Amino acid sequence: MQYLIPLFFILIFVFAFIKKVKPYDTFTEGVKSAVPFAVSIFPYLVSIFVLTELFEVSGLSALVADFLSPVFGFLGIPEELTKLVLIKPFSGSGSLATLSEIFTEYGAESYLARCACVIYGSSETVFYVASVYFANAKTKNLFKPIVISLFASFCSCVFACFICKIM
């Protein structure tokens, strides 16, 4: 396994040599085109990070979690994981911090920790991904893709808890 990445680079350079492509020049051209893209998505990313922090600091996150935890419990998601399910679509680092809190409070080998791990791994930071993917898109009507992504992410959370319960 330790030779895989060096072998991959060697294969790229051999392929480039065969095709008579200058790898360094091609790489720098790609970087040159990536910089404007990174600048164009910056406002979207900042807004997602600020809104996520405001959601948590304002206490709205706790209110929504308290309101939805019985519904989540009915669907098989333990009430202790409500915060993780709510924060995951917004922030990967925030959900990682929540996952760490669950490990500390309930233990890394507990049912809740297993569910939390599978939820963390099977769901996506929907709003972050949407801001990156749709930053340069011509259409700005993101309602349908975001709703579908949130629904799929929530279904993965329900299924994750179901799988952890039967295993």
Side-chain angles (χ1 to χ4, degrees), residues 37 40-42 44 129-138 140 142:
F37 176 71
S40 72
I41 66 170
F42 185 73
Y44 300 102
V129 171
S131 67
V132 172
Y133 284 168
F134 295 111
N136 284 342
K138 291 179 182 175
K140 296 298 179 187
L142 304 178

PDB file of all heavy atoms in Angstrom, residues 37 40-42 44 129-138 140 142:
ATOM      1  N   PHE A  37     -12.294  30.172  -9.529  1.00  0.00           N
ATOM      2  CA  PHE A  37     -13.414  29.390  -9.003  1.00  0.00           C
ATOM      3  C   PHE A  37     -13.446  29.464  -7.478  1.00  0.00           C
ATOM      4  O   PHE A  37     -14.503  29.650  -6.874  1.00  0.00           O
ATOM      5  CB  PHE A  37     -13.324  27.934  -9.465  1.00  0.00           C
ATOM      6  CG  PHE A  37     -14.389  27.058  -8.871  1.00  0.00           C
ATOM      7  CD1 PHE A  37     -15.708  27.196  -9.265  1.00  0.00           C
ATOM      8  CD2 PHE A  37     -14.080  26.126  -7.897  1.00  0.00           C
ATOM      9  CE1 PHE A  37     -16.703  26.413  -8.705  1.00  0.00           C
ATOM     10  CE2 PHE A  37     -15.068  25.342  -7.337  1.00  0.00           C
ATOM     11  CZ  PHE A  37     -16.375  25.481  -7.745  1.00  0.00           C
ATOM     12  N   SER A  40     -14.797  32.704  -6.456  1.00  0.00           N
ATOM     13  CA  SER A  40     -16.233  32.857  -6.707  1.00  0.00           C
ATOM     14  C   SER A  40     -17.096  32.137  -5.674  1.00  0.00           C
ATOM     15  O   SER A  40     -18.205  32.565  -5.386  1.00  0.00           O
ATOM     16  CB  SER A  40     -16.587  32.370  -8.114  1.00  0.00           C
ATOM     17  OG  SER A  40     -16.515  30.968  -8.195  1.00  0.00           O
ATOM     18  N   ILE A  41     -16.598  31.035  -5.088  1.00  0.00           N
ATOM     19  CA  ILE A  41     -17.409  30.315  -4.102  1.00  0.00           C
ATOM     20  C   ILE A  41     -17.188  30.831  -2.684  1.00  0.00           C
ATOM     21  O   ILE A  41     -17.938  30.470  -1.773  1.00  0.00           O
ATOM     22  CB  ILE A  41     -17.172  28.792  -4.134  1.00  0.00           C
ATOM     23  CG1 ILE A  41     -15.760  28.437  -3.689  1.00  0.00           C
ATOM     24  CG2 ILE A  41     -17.502  28.216  -5.476  1.00  0.00           C
ATOM     25  CD1 ILE A  41     -15.548  26.954  -3.471  1.00  0.00           C
ATOM     26  N   PHE A  42     -16.204  31.678  -2.492  1.00  0.00           N
ATOM     27  CA  PHE A  42     -15.886  32.169  -1.150  1.00  0.00           C
ATOM     28  C   PHE A  42     -17.079  32.798  -0.436  1.00  0.00           C
ATOM     29  O   PHE A  42     -17.344  32.460   0.723  1.00  0.00           O
ATOM     30  CB  PHE A  42     -14.700  33.145  -1.218  1.00  0.00           C
ATOM     31  CG  PHE A  42     -14.246  33.605   0.121  1.00  0.00           C
ATOM     32  CD1 PHE A  42     -13.545  32.752   0.963  1.00  0.00           C
ATOM     33  CD2 PHE A  42     -14.514  34.892   0.562  1.00  0.00           C
ATOM     34  CE1 PHE A  42     -13.122  33.167   2.208  1.00  0.00           C
ATOM     35  CE2 PHE A  42     -14.095  35.316   1.803  1.00  0.00           C
ATOM     36  CZ  PHE A  42     -13.400  34.447   2.629  1.00  0.00           C
ATOM     37  N   TYR A  44     -20.248  32.244  -0.746  1.00  0.00           N
ATOM     38  CA  TYR A  44     -21.216  31.194  -0.397  1.00  0.00           C
ATOM     39  C   TYR A  44     -20.737  30.398   0.817  1.00  0.00           C
ATOM     40  O   TYR A  44     -21.521  30.071   1.714  1.00  0.00           O
ATOM     41  CB  TYR A  44     -21.443  30.265  -1.581  1.00  0.00           C
ATOM     42  CG  TYR A  44     -21.989  30.967  -2.795  1.00  0.00           C
ATOM     43  CD1 TYR A  44     -21.163  31.296  -3.858  1.00  0.00           C
ATOM     44  CD2 TYR A  44     -23.329  31.310  -2.878  1.00  0.00           C
ATOM     45  CE1 TYR A  44     -21.665  31.950  -4.976  1.00  0.00           C
ATOM     46  CE2 TYR A  44     -23.843  31.952  -3.979  1.00  0.00           C
ATOM     47  CZ  TYR A  44     -23.000  32.271  -5.028  1.00  0.00           C
ATOM     48  OH  TYR A  44     -23.499  32.918  -6.122  1.00  0.00           O
ATOM     49  N   VAL A 129     -21.830  21.401   0.220  1.00  0.00           N
ATOM     50  CA  VAL A 129     -21.689  20.811  -1.115  1.00  0.00           C
ATOM     51  C   VAL A 129     -22.504  21.593  -2.140  1.00  0.00           C
ATOM     52  O   VAL A 129     -22.036  21.860  -3.249  1.00  0.00           O
ATOM     53  CB  VAL A 129     -22.099  19.316  -1.094  1.00  0.00           C
ATOM     54  CG1 VAL A 129     -22.178  18.742  -2.492  1.00  0.00           C
ATOM     55  CG2 VAL A 129     -21.126  18.521  -0.250  1.00  0.00           C
ATOM     56  N   ALA A 130     -23.711  21.996  -1.771  1.00  0.00           N
ATOM     57  CA  ALA A 130     -24.542  22.777  -2.691  1.00  0.00           C
ATOM     58  C   ALA A 130     -23.886  24.109  -3.020  1.00  0.00           C
ATOM     59  O   ALA A 130     -23.917  24.554  -4.179  1.00  0.00           O
ATOM     60  CB  ALA A 130     -25.930  23.000  -2.105  1.00  0.00           C
ATOM     61  N   SER A 131     -23.277  24.742  -2.028  1.00  0.00           N
ATOM     62  CA  SER A 131     -22.632  26.032  -2.302  1.00  0.00           C
ATOM     63  C   SER A 131     -21.443  25.873  -3.227  1.00  0.00           C
ATOM     64  O   SER A 131     -21.186  26.723  -4.076  1.00  0.00           O
ATOM     65  CB  SER A 131     -22.219  26.706  -0.999  1.00  0.00           C
ATOM     66  OG  SER A 131     -21.202  25.980  -0.363  1.00  0.00           O
ATOM     67  N   VAL A 132     -20.717  24.778  -3.120  1.00  0.00           N
ATOM     68  CA  VAL A 132     -19.574  24.545  -4.005  1.00  0.00           C
ATOM     69  C   VAL A 132     -20.041  24.137  -5.399  1.00  0.00           C
ATOM     70  O   VAL A 132     -19.584  24.677  -6.406  1.00  0.00           O
ATOM     71  CB  VAL A 132     -18.632  23.476  -3.416  1.00  0.00           C
ATOM     72  CG1 VAL A 132     -17.557  23.080  -4.412  1.00  0.00           C
ATOM     73  CG2 VAL A 132     -17.998  23.981  -2.131  1.00  0.00           C
ATOM     74  N   TYR A 133     -20.975  23.189  -5.481  1.00  0.00           N
ATOM     75  CA  TYR A 133     -21.407  22.673  -6.781  1.00  0.00           C
ATOM     76  C   TYR A 133     -22.165  23.708  -7.602  1.00  0.00           C
ATOM     77  O   TYR A 133     -22.027  23.768  -8.806  1.00  0.00           O
ATOM     78  CB  TYR A 133     -22.281  21.440  -6.613  1.00  0.00           C
ATOM     79  CG  TYR A 133     -21.533  20.182  -6.268  1.00  0.00           C
ATOM     80  CD1 TYR A 133     -22.204  19.050  -5.842  1.00  0.00           C
ATOM     81  CD2 TYR A 133     -20.153  20.102  -6.349  1.00  0.00           C
ATOM     82  CE1 TYR A 133     -21.530  17.890  -5.515  1.00  0.00           C
ATOM     83  CE2 TYR A 133     -19.475  18.955  -6.024  1.00  0.00           C
ATOM     84  CZ  TYR A 133     -20.166  17.854  -5.612  1.00  0.00           C
ATOM     85  OH  TYR A 133     -19.501  16.716  -5.299  1.00  0.00           O
ATOM     86  N   PHE A 134     -22.987  24.495  -6.938  1.00  0.00           N
ATOM     87  CA  PHE A 134     -23.857  25.401  -7.679  1.00  0.00           C
ATOM     88  C   PHE A 134     -23.345  26.843  -7.727  1.00  0.00           C
ATOM     89  O   PHE A 134     -24.055  27.723  -8.198  1.00  0.00           O
ATOM     90  CB  PHE A 134     -25.267  25.370  -7.093  1.00  0.00           C
ATOM     91  CG  PHE A 134     -25.939  24.043  -7.249  1.00  0.00           C
ATOM     92  CD1 PHE A 134     -26.186  23.235  -6.158  1.00  0.00           C
ATOM     93  CD2 PHE A 134     -26.325  23.592  -8.509  1.00  0.00           C
ATOM     94  CE1 PHE A 134     -26.802  22.005  -6.305  1.00  0.00           C
ATOM     95  CE2 PHE A 134     -26.940  22.370  -8.657  1.00  0.00           C
ATOM     96  CZ  PHE A 134     -27.176  21.573  -7.564  1.00  0.00           C
ATOM     97  N   ALA A 135     -22.126  27.084  -7.265  1.00  0.00           N
ATOM     98  CA  ALA A 135     -21.590  28.449  -7.261  1.00  0.00           C
ATOM     99  C   ALA A 135     -21.498  29.021  -8.670  1.00  0.00           C
ATOM    100  O   ALA A 135     -21.819  30.185  -8.893  1.00  0.00           O
ATOM    101  CB  ALA A 135     -20.223  28.476  -6.590  1.00  0.00           C
ATOM    102  N   ASN A 136     -21.076  28.227  -9.615  1.00  0.00           N
ATOM    103  CA  ASN A 136     -20.932  28.708 -10.988  1.00  0.00           C
ATOM    104  C   ASN A 136     -22.037  28.206 -11.910  1.00  0.00           C
ATOM    105  O   ASN A 136     -21.938  28.347 -13.124  1.00  0.00           O
ATOM    106  CB  ASN A 136     -19.572  28.304 -11.552  1.00  0.00           C
ATOM    107  CG  ASN A 136     -18.455  29.157 -11.006  1.00  0.00           C
ATOM    108  OD1 ASN A 136     -18.705  30.243 -10.485  1.00  0.00           O
ATOM    109  ND2 ASN A 136     -17.236  28.671 -11.095  1.00  0.00           N
ATOM    110  N   ALA A 137     -23.060  27.614 -11.357  1.00  0.00           N
ATOM    111  CA  ALA A 137     -24.157  27.113 -12.184  1.00  0.00           C
ATOM    112  C   ALA A 137     -25.003  28.270 -12.694  1.00  0.00           C
ATOM    113  O   ALA A 137     -25.163  29.294 -12.020  1.00  0.00           O
ATOM    114  CB  ALA A 137     -25.027  26.153 -11.381  1.00  0.00           C
ATOM    115  N   LYS A 138     -25.549  28.083 -13.873  1.00  0.00           N
ATOM    116  CA  LYS A 138     -26.410  29.125 -14.449  1.00  0.00           C
ATOM    117  C   LYS A 138     -27.717  29.221 -13.685  1.00  0.00           C
ATOM    118  O   LYS A 138     -28.245  30.299 -13.488  1.00  0.00           O
ATOM    119  CB  LYS A 138     -26.679  28.827 -15.917  1.00  0.00           C
ATOM    120  CG  LYS A 138     -25.451  28.975 -16.785  1.00  0.00           C
ATOM    121  CD  LYS A 138     -25.750  28.644 -18.229  1.00  0.00           C
ATOM    122  CE  LYS A 138     -24.477  28.752 -19.044  1.00  0.00           C
ATOM    123  NZ  LYS A 138     -24.670  28.339 -20.414  1.00  0.00           N
ATOM    124  N   LYS A 140     -30.004  29.128 -10.424  1.00  0.00           N
ATOM    125  CA  LYS A 140     -29.863  29.380  -8.989  1.00  0.00           C
ATOM    126  C   LYS A 140     -31.074  28.852  -8.226  1.00  0.00           C
ATOM    127  O   LYS A 140     -31.236  29.130  -7.056  1.00  0.00           O
ATOM    128  CB  LYS A 140     -29.687  30.881  -8.716  1.00  0.00           C
ATOM    129  CG  LYS A 140     -28.416  31.457  -9.306  1.00  0.00           C
ATOM    130  CD  LYS A 140     -27.179  30.808  -8.719  1.00  0.00           C
ATOM    131  CE  LYS A 140     -25.931  31.402  -9.350  1.00  0.00           C
ATOM    132  NZ  LYS A 140     -24.726  30.744  -8.962  1.00  0.00           N
ATOM    133  N   LEU A 142     -32.218  26.277  -6.344  1.00  0.00           N
ATOM    134  CA  LEU A 142     -31.628  25.148  -5.640  1.00  0.00           C
ATOM    135  C   LEU A 142     -32.594  24.445  -4.699  1.00  0.00           C
ATOM    136  O   LEU A 142     -32.203  23.528  -3.999  1.00  0.00           O
ATOM    137  CB  LEU A 142     -30.418  25.629  -4.836  1.00  0.00           C
ATOM    138  CG  LEU A 142     -29.336  26.344  -5.625  1.00  0.00           C
ATOM    139  CD1 LEU A 142     -28.227  26.796  -4.699  1.00  0.00           C
ATOM    140  CD2 LEU A 142     -28.787  25.448  -6.701  1.00  0.00           C
TER     141      LEU A 142
END
